[in-house]
Amino acid sequence: MGAEERDGGRERSRANGASALRRGAVDRPRVRLDQPRAPRRTFLPEYDPEAFGRLSEKIARFLGTGRFIVWMTFTIIVWVIWNTTAPSGLRFDQYPFIFLTLALSLQASYAAPLILLAQNRQDDRDRVTHEQDRKQNERSIADTEYLTREIAALRLGLGEVATRDWIRSEIEDLLRDLELRQPAAAESDERDR
């Protein structure tokens, strides 16, 4: 590669926006920022977090009802009675009830995270609602302050404007002055004669 070819390559790189010569670099196609990238292949299963969140809220809502408590109590009572009074061949969980303990532990281990997930989603919704309420309150306060300033400006403006009552009172004052001056004017006319 001669000096002329290197200079020509350098000029080409600068024309394309590169500030330094890249030796041995393959010209890659430009990445378009206005288009999303192609999704990468993953071996993990994909799921919709919103759908999972809605399902967890439904489960958490059911776990917090009296119906769940009644069904759980009924199931445990039937389980214990069956495994203590049924013939030995039909019992599937002997006295320490290890399988029942395992089932309840499994249910609790799934219920706790689902309840926490539902609470987190509710907290997020509450946070958004509080933020919207705060912004609405700020707008209301700003509107109230604006209207207060406008009313004060109108009061100041009306203080300088002649109102009907003020004009009436001024005319009444002038009429009184005229009535007081008429007898005085009549007396001065009589003196002049």
Side-chain angles (χ1 to χ4, degrees), residues 159-178:
E160 298 171 3
V161 174
T163 61
R164 181 179 58 192
D165 294 335
W166 182 79
I167 292 174
R168 250 189 216 144
S169 68
E170 289 294 316
I171 291 175
E172 289 173 356
D173 290 343
L174 288 174
L175 284 174
R176 268 190 245 118
D177 285 345
L178 284 175

Side-chain angles (χ1 to χ4, degrees), residues 70-81:
V70 168
W71 278 107
M72 182 67 101
T73 304
F74 177 74
T75 303
I76 291 171
I77 290 171
V78 168
W79 187 295
V80 169
I81 290 174

Side-chain angles (χ1 to χ4, degrees), residues 27-38:
D27 287 336
R28 288 184 241 156
R30 290 186 160 221
V31 176
R32 295 198 51 174
L33 297 176
D34 62 338
Q35 294 177 352
R37 290 183 178 177

Side-chain angles (χ1 to χ4, degrees), residues 3 6 15-16 18-19 31 38-39 46 52 55 63 84 93 107-108 131 148 156 162 180 183 189:
R6 278 185 285 184
N16 288 336
S19 62
V31 176
E46 293 184 22
F52 186 74
L55 177 66
L63 291 176
T84 55
D93 193 15
Q107 181 267 332
E131 183 65 24
T148 303
L156 287 174
L180 291 176
D189 282 343

Side-chain angles (χ1 to χ4, degrees), residues 98-191:
I98 302 295
F99 188 53
L100 176 64
T101 305
L102 177 68
L104 291 175
S105 297
L106 184 65
Q107 181 267 332
S109 68
Y110 275 98
L114 290 175
I115 291 170
L116 289 174
L117 179 63
Q119 286 176 344
N120 289 341
R121 286 174 53 90
Q122 185 62 43
D123 288 343
D124 291 342
R125 280 194 299 271
D126 290 344
R127 190 175 305 114
V128 168
T129 302
H130 290 304
E131 183 65 24
Q132 289 173 347
D133 289 345
R134 188 186 62 76
K135 287 180 181 178
Q136 180 63 36
N137 288 340
E138 286 176 357
R139 284 192 298 267
S140 297
I141 289 170
D143 290 344
T144 304
E145 289 174 352
Y146 172 76
L147 290 174
T148 303
R149 285 191 302 273
E150 288 296 313
I151 290 172
L154 286 173
R155 283 184 179 167
L156 287 174
L158 283 176
E160 298 171 3
V161 174
T163 61
R164 181 179 58 192
D165 294 335
W166 182 79
I167 292 174
R168 250 189 216 144
S169 68
E170 289 294 316
I171 291 175
E172 289 173 356
D173 290 343
L174 288 174
L175 284 174
R176 268 190 245 118
D177 285 345
L178 284 175
E179 289 173 357
L180 291 176
R181 287 185 186 178
Q182 280 179 351
E187 287 176 11
S188 69
D189 282 343
E190 285 177 14
R191 275 191 241 153

